[in-house]
Amino acid sequence: MLEKFRSIVIGASVLVVVAGIGFYLFISMGGGSGLVGTEEGNFPSTDFQHLNYSPADTGFLLCDPLECPVAEADGASPVFPVSAQKLRLALLDFTDSQRTIQSRTIDIFNNKFEFTERDPGKQFPAIVSVQILEKGENQSMVLFYSYQPIGDSRSSDHADRSVRWMQMMQAYLD
């Protein structure tokens, strides 16, 4: 009796392991992506013109009132004394050099960029949206929005991120 029970348990265990390996291979080869989601996620890109944000929200927004008419920004957009092209290169050089930052979307023609940044010790990454606008021959403005759609975050974390990003972009320009 005990031998029969042990044989059934071993057979069921082997069957579960084989089914698990089969499911893993099915998902790995692209099948069943609807079951576990996609790598890209489904967060929409930031549209600064229609962004509904207030400083009471958990996040941080640097934006000119003319560029973000619906939002109540945390601060003004920084203006850099360089062309939008040079500022874009500084931004991309900075983000490419950081292991914690991943590109999400890059729209070179409109100078709109979306990144994810995973802070040490945090389970979920923050989303950082940047748009660079030409404001004269040798002046460009940065629209910057940092937020974390999943998990816990504080506005001060996002404010610190904005200061660090602007300082690093300036350092890449020097």
Side-chain angles (χ1 to χ4, degrees):
M1 176 76 172
L2 188 58
E3 282 296 317
K4 188 175 182 180
F5 178 72
R6 190 171 66 161
S7 297
I8 291 172
V9 169
I10 290 173
S13 298
V14 169
L15 187 62
V16 168
V17 169
V18 169
I21 291 171
F23 182 70
Y24 172 77
L25 292 174
F26 177 70
I27 296 298
S28 296
M29 291 190 292
S33 64
L35 297 173
V36 293
T38 62
E39 284 186 24
E40 296 86 32
N42 55 0
F43 296 108
S45 292
T46 301
D47 179 7
F48 287 99
Q49 285 290 320
H50 299 100
L51 179 63
N52 189 7
Y53 174 84
S54 75
D57 297 338
T58 303
F60 196 79
L61 175 66
L62 296 175
C63 196
D64 185 75
L66 296 174
E67 302 300 331
C68 300
V70 180
E72 185 182 336
D74 293 296
S77 294
V79 177
F80 290 85
V82 295
S83 68
Q85 180 183 8
K86 285 185 181 179
L87 190 57
R88 178 179 67 223
L89 291 174
L91 171 69
L92 295 177
D93 284 346
F94 159 62
T95 56
D96 284 345
S97 70
Q98 303 298 309
R99 294 182 339 157
T100 58
I101 299 173
Q102 301 255 336
S103 298
R104 228 178 123 222
T105 60
I106 295 177
D107 181 357
I108 297 288
F109 298 109
N110 294 313
N111 281 333
K112 291 180 82 171
F113 309 93
E114 298 265 341
F115 303 96
T116 58
E117 182 175 23
R118 186 178 304 272
D119 292 332
K122 296 278 186 166
Q123 185 175 5
F124 299 106
I127 295 178
V128 178
S129 300
V130 178
Q131 185 171 3
I132 300 172
L133 303 173
E134 191 81 46
K135 289 293 180 185
E137 191 170 312
N138 277 324
Q139 280 195 331
S140 52
M141 176 189 300
V142 174
L143 310 180
F144 181 92
Y145 180 44
S146 173
Y147 68 102
Q148 189 168 337
I150 299 172
D152 294 330
S153 67
R154 298 183 315 244
S155 292
S156 61
D157 295 337
H158 299 289
D160 293 344
R161 177 177 291 110
S162 73
V163 169
R164 181 171 42 85
W165 279 54
M166 295 308 126
Q167 288 175 343
M168 292 303 291
M169 287 171 59
Q170 184 63 49
Y172 275 86
L173 290 171
D174 294 337

